[in-house]
Amino acid sequence: MFRKPSIILLLSAGLFSISAQQTIPFRITKHNNIIVKTLVNKKDSLDLMFQIAMEDASISPERHHKADHIIFDKDDVSNDNTVQIGKMNLNKVRFFNNELTGHEADGKIGTGMFTGKSFKIDYDNNRFEIYDKEPDLNGYQGIMLFHENGQFFINADNVIDGKQQQEAYFLLQSGYSGAILYSNAFAEEKELDKLLKTTSEKTMKNSSGESIVTKQGILPFFKLNNSVLKDVPAGFFTGKHKTQTVSYLGADMLKRFNWIFDADRKKVYIKPSKYFSEPYYKMN
């Protein structure tokens, strides 16, 4: 999904600086992507998509606004940029060039802006909240969070055949507009092509002209801690050529909860948001 995943995974934390508790407003697109308005290097006004699966920032080749004041080196990397979001000023922000992003965005910005802080994704009020101390967790459920190379994974249960819960780890992926996308390994092991009711199928060609088949099915039940969702759209790949190495918990599922991440990134707390029972996003 990213043009330079190997580079992104090697990036260290601490690339942003925040002095105190802050609130950052955002908007949600019809494709479930979070967009924040930014001013980069005091010159470039950019709409950046929040990407929870990365730490740094990037610029898209299909951007809508100019980014003339982000200077990239021969490896398409730009260090030591400033980013202003509302009243918050970030320093030493690293940008990557030519990475695709979500609809209505000029690029992406990741979780580096929250380094060392607890933060909340508040879908009820369309804002991020950043805390110096642990916030009020009343009404929230705690979930173990697995933090690896700047990416977050959680565990959830999937009821596929109506009888048995199948445990799986999901990468939190706010750049994927749908609810769930299963890894190749999980889809094959659980025989999703046979057990899930298929609602759509699409065949694409890769750069070598080989066919890649993706399907959308209906998962009867999805259980995240004590919260249960029914008839959840779930994507998976079939056929000889498959490309999905990890399972995604996508933006459509993320927005159904408010999320509070602890400062150590060892635990995340969730509470159903106002979107919990909304109709599911339809993948094209």
Side-chain angles (χ1 to χ4, degrees):
M1 189 159 186
F2 302 110
R3 197 175 72 85
K4 298 187 181 71
S6 60
I7 295 177
I8 291 174
L9 293 178
L10 292 174
L11 295 176
S12 61
L15 298 178
F16 298 83
S17 62
I18 297 177
S19 58
Q21 180 173 338
Q22 302 280 352
T23 298
I24 303 173
F26 61 70
R27 67 179 176 87
I28 305 174
T29 72
K30 65 180 181 180
H31 301 285
N32 298 323
N33 299 133
I34 289 176
I35 304 293
V36 293
K37 287 191 171 297
T38 70
L39 182 65
V40 180
N41 294 330
K42 300 182 180 181
K43 298 287 186 179
D44 297 324
S45 296
L46 300 175
D47 292 337
L48 299 182
M49 183 196 80
F50 173 64
Q51 173 53 286
I52 198 171
M54 66 185 286
E55 290 182 330
D56 295 270
S58 66
I59 292 298
S60 171
E62 300 175 358
R63 57 185 175 269
H64 305 284
H65 301 97
K66 293 182 178 180
D68 296 339
H69 299 86
I70 305 176
I71 308 303
F72 294 97
D73 62 20
K74 60 182 177 62
D75 297 316
D76 276 343
V77 179
S78 179
N79 295 296
D80 298 329
N81 298 281
T82 64
V83 177
Q84 181 181 342
I85 309 175
K87 296 181 180 180
M88 184 175 69
N89 292 290
L90 308 174
N91 300 309
K92 298 184 179 180
V93 181
R94 180 177 295 171
F95 277 86
F96 293 91
N97 199 14
N98 294 324
E99 291 188 355
L100 295 179
T101 187
H103 298 274
E104 303 178 35
D106 301 305
K108 298 175 288 194
I109 190 163
T111 59
M113 59 182 171
F114 308 124
T115 295
K117 307 285 185 177
S118 295
F119 74 95
K120 177 180 181 180
I121 308 176
D122 185 351
Y123 283 100
D124 285 341
N125 297 293
N126 284 11
R127 67 190 184 191
F128 296 109
E129 295 179 4
I130 306 168
Y131 307 95
D132 292 321
K133 298 180 180 179
E134 187 176 88
D136 181 11
L137 297 174
N138 184 42
Y140 282 80
Q141 308 168 28
I143 300 176
M144 294 300 298
L145 185 68
F146 302 91
H147 182 212
E148 181 179 348
N149 296 320
Q151 298 182 319
F152 303 134
F153 296 82
I154 60 172
N155 187 281
D157 291 321
N158 312 263
V159 180
I160 297 170
D161 57 6
K163 298 178 182 178
Q164 185 177 2
Q165 294 183 10
Q166 305 289 350
E167 188 178 69
Y169 286 93
F170 291 87
L171 169 68
L172 303 187
Q173 174 52 275
S174 57
Y176 176 69
S177 296
I180 293 172
L181 180 63
Y182 284 113
S183 69
N184 301 336
F186 187 90
E188 291 178 359
E189 179 186 351
K190 308 305 179 184
E191 298 184 309
L192 299 186
D193 197 22
K194 297 179 181 178
L195 297 178
L196 294 188
K197 177 184 176 181
T198 301
T199 58
S200 66
E201 179 177 330
K202 182 188 294 185
T203 300
M204 301 173 289
K205 298 286 186 180
N206 63 18
S207 58
S208 301
E210 300 166 324
S211 295
I212 299 174
V213 181
T214 178
K215 292 186 177 183
Q216 285 290 315
I218 299 296
L219 179 70
F221 296 97
F222 179 80
K223 187 172 183 288
L224 186 56
N225 206 324
N226 295 326
S227 298
V228 178
L229 294 103
K230 300 179 181 180
D231 298 328
V232 179
F236 57 96
F237 291 88
T238 62
K240 180 179 179 181
H241 299 286
K242 309 179 187 72
T243 60
Q244 195 65 29
T245 58
V246 297
S247 295
Y248 286 169
L249 192 75
D252 187 32
M253 189 62 70
L254 289 170
K255 78 172 187 179
R256 296 175 190 276
F257 299 88
N258 293 317
W259 302 74
I260 297 177
F261 294 79
D262 71 5
D264 296 329
R265 308 295 187 254
K266 294 181 179 179
K267 206 162 188 179
V268 64
Y269 302 86
I270 63 170
K271 182 172 71 172
S273 74
K274 63 184 180 183
Y275 298 108
F276 186 82
S277 300
E278 289 287 304
Y280 292 106
Y281 179 84
K282 293 183 179 180
M283 298 293 292
N284 294 327

